[in-house]
Amino acid sequence: MLNLDSLLNVVGELFADEISIVVSNTKEYMYYRPSKRIDLKIKPGDPVKEGTIAHKALSEGQKVSEFIHRDVFGVPYHGMAVPFHDDGVLVGCVVAIYPAYTEGKSVVTVKTMDGWIPIPFSEVKYMEVRDRKTVVVSDRITGTHKNSLQNFEFVLPHEQFIRCHRSFIVNVNHISAIYPDTHSTFMLSMNDGTKIPVSQSYSSYFRKLLGF
């Protein structure tokens, strides 16, 4: 039978190039596997620091995804932490640590029929998974990118872009209105007329970030 350490090592191997994996209980780190791109120098037994993504998830009792500044670990990073429970009792969390996007990088370079075209972050309206490809949509260009939405969720500036559905990331600056919807929690009306759903699994996170 596969034990927990073996399972975590397999998961870590899947993401070894990009993502560091951390597991904690409610007070200290129990497991850490650094990636090739980012190492926070965490050791099993280290206390969960205030201000870290793990501490926020444990304090709030829900999934947290955000940018953490360099003053916490000496390295800026993006992270996603998901708490887990045993018989309804909070017992710890699992954290994915992703390197911060390169400072100064402000474009997404998409593939089109004519070649590769950089699109400034500000012009990207939304990203959508179609036929297992990530499609990047702006007013003037629509193209594809090799990154998954999960990768984009960490590298895009968090003050502009929000994951609202397993198939969509939206630029909040291009949302015209938000409506209740029977098939999903909300429906977004983008400024180009596109309608994008906010699914139930992302609704509380979405509402919290947009403050309504």
Side-chain angles (χ1 to χ4, degrees):
M1 183 175 178
L2 191 65
N3 63 36
L4 180 59
D5 282 345
S6 298
L7 177 60
L8 290 170
N9 280 325
V10 170
V11 172
E13 189 65 30
L14 287 173
F15 303 105
D17 288 343
E18 298 289 331
I19 299 173
S20 298
I21 304 295
V22 189
V23 180
S24 79
N25 58 28
T26 57
K27 297 186 180 299
E28 63 186 29
Y29 299 110
M30 300 159 37
Y31 173 91
Y32 176 60
R33 181 179 178 122
S35 74
K36 293 178 181 177
R37 288 191 60 195
I38 184 165
D39 183 2
L40 301 185
K41 309 296 184 185
I42 292 170
K43 295 182 179 63
D46 286 351
V48 175
K49 290 184 178 182
E50 187 171 351
T52 62
I53 200 85
H55 186 270
K56 294 187 179 197
L58 291 168
S59 300
E60 298 175 16
Q62 63 182 11
K63 181 177 81 172
V64 175
S65 177
E66 61 183 68
F67 175 80
I68 301 296
H69 291 280
R70 68 174 67 247
D71 54 356
V72 177
F73 277 113
V75 179
Y77 69 91
H78 289 272
M80 178 181 290
V82 179
F84 57 90
H85 301 75
D86 185 12
D87 290 332
V89 178
L90 178 67
V91 294
C93 72
V94 178
V95 187
I97 302 297
Y98 198 91
Y101 64 88
T102 305
E103 294 182 8
K105 181 179 177 183
S106 59
V107 299
V108 178
T109 303
V110 300
K111 185 178 181 180
T112 69
M113 295 285 288
D114 300 319
W116 289 266
I117 301 176
I119 306 175
F121 285 159
S122 60
E123 293 183 15
V124 175
K125 292 182 178 292
Y126 62 91
M127 298 178 177
E128 178 185 3
V129 175
R130 299 180 197 163
D131 300 323
R132 298 184 180 181
K133 293 182 179 179
T134 299
V135 178
V136 181
V137 178
S138 72
D139 269 337
R140 59 189 180 90
I141 299 165
T142 295
T144 60
H145 199 283
K146 63 181 181 180
N147 278 4
S148 67
L149 285 190
Q150 183 183 28
N151 284 345
F152 272 124
E153 193 173 2
F154 291 113
V155 301
L156 289 169
H158 65 285
E159 68 275 8
Q160 288 178 252
F161 292 89
I162 297 180
R163 183 81 174 262
C164 65
H165 188 280
R166 61 187 177 86
S167 298
F168 290 97
I169 290 176
V170 297
N171 185 334
V172 297
N173 298 310
H174 292 277
I175 299 173
S176 293
I178 304 170
Y179 301 102
D181 184 68
T182 54
H183 299 295
S184 61
T185 310
F186 305 107
M187 184 66 69
L188 307 179
S189 178
M190 307 302 287
N191 58 12
D192 63 353
T194 302
K195 300 295 189 291
I196 294 177
V198 179
S199 65
Q200 189 170 6
S201 59
Y202 288 94
S203 61
S204 60
Y205 173 63
F206 186 85
R207 290 189 69 156
K208 179 182 176 182
L209 289 183
L210 265 67
F212 71 99

